[in-house]
Amino acid sequence: MTLPVTPSQTIGPFFAVGLIWADGSEVVAEGTPGAVRVGGRVTDGAGQPVADALVETWQADPDGRFVHPDDPRGCTRSGFRGFGRCATDAEGRWGVRTLKPGPLPAPDGGLEAPHLDVSVFARGLLNRLVTRVYFPDEADANAADPLLASIADPAARARLVAVTEGDGLRFDIRLQGDQETPFLAI
């Protein structure tokens, strides 16, 4: 007897059960001088919102220092945690309040442009997707950034740079398709 192939399934997502916390999207408190809102929408390949994704951000402080034991310089910014976590809403919207990070030393001795590291978790993804958000007011630093310089397609490279929208920055994440966000192979 031949049995049919069992359909593959992922379990979850269970993000709302244990991974969301009330102030997860607040890397810094409201009213922090220099705070900026960075957010956008997570969409699938057809441009439809992904309503049950989880977006995490990790970044250096404005001095280019991390809140992490592996950074011996240490973060000197009170109230800055460097990490944000936000579930998407019914329209796929996400957002964090943070401070613009400083440049970071690059392995080649140069500098990486200020950026946020971003991880995306969603149903159907067995592994997280990782990308970066660069800042639109850093044209010279972005042009010299080793990761951005490694992307040959100018349109794909541009999809890693947030756009100014109102008093914040917009960074949409497209999981696949024509306008797919460039993701890093890590």
Side-chain angles (χ1 to χ4, degrees):
M1 168 163 107
T2 303
L3 297 174
V5 175
T6 303
S8 64
Q9 297 180 11
T10 58
I11 60 170
F14 302 117
F15 304 132
V17 174
L19 295 179
I20 305 301
W21 72 90
D23 68 345
S25 64
E26 307 304 321
V27 179
V28 294
E30 187 173 354
T32 300
V36 63
R37 191 89 178 143
V38 179
R41 292 180 70 219
V42 177
T43 56
D44 63 18
Q48 296 302 306
V50 177
D52 56 356
L54 182 74
V55 177
E56 291 183 344
T57 62
W58 173 246
Q59 69 176 90
D61 70 10
D63 300 317
R65 299 172 178 208
F66 287 95
V67 180
H68 194 276
D70 287 346
D71 189 339
R73 302 165 303 155
C75 174
T76 59
R77 302 288 174 137
S78 177
F80 176 82
R81 76 172 163 228
F83 177 78
R85 180 179 285 161
C86 179
T88 57
D89 67 11
E91 296 301 314
R93 291 182 296 245
W94 71 277
V96 295
R97 178 183 305 121
T98 190
L99 295 173
K100 182 179 172 185
L104 298 171
D108 66 0
L111 289 175
E112 293 181 358
H115 64 273
L116 306 181
D117 293 316
V118 176
S119 293
V120 181
F121 303 85
R123 66 182 143 73
L125 298 177
L126 297 178
N127 296 302
R128 69 186 171 132
L129 297 175
V130 178
T131 190
R132 284 185 173 180
V133 179
Y134 289 89
F135 291 78
D137 62 345
E138 292 284 349
D140 291 342
N142 290 346
D145 183 84
L147 187 135
L148 282 175
S150 74
I151 301 172
D153 178 12
R157 194 169 44 248
R159 288 194 294 275
L160 290 181
V161 180
V163 296
T164 302
E165 185 175 89
D167 59 354
L169 298 172
R170 182 179 179 105
F171 184 77
D172 292 329
I173 301 168
R174 180 110 180 216
L175 299 180
Q176 61 185 9
D178 277 353
Q179 298 298 311
E180 179 179 327
T181 299
F183 296 105
L184 309 178
I186 58 166

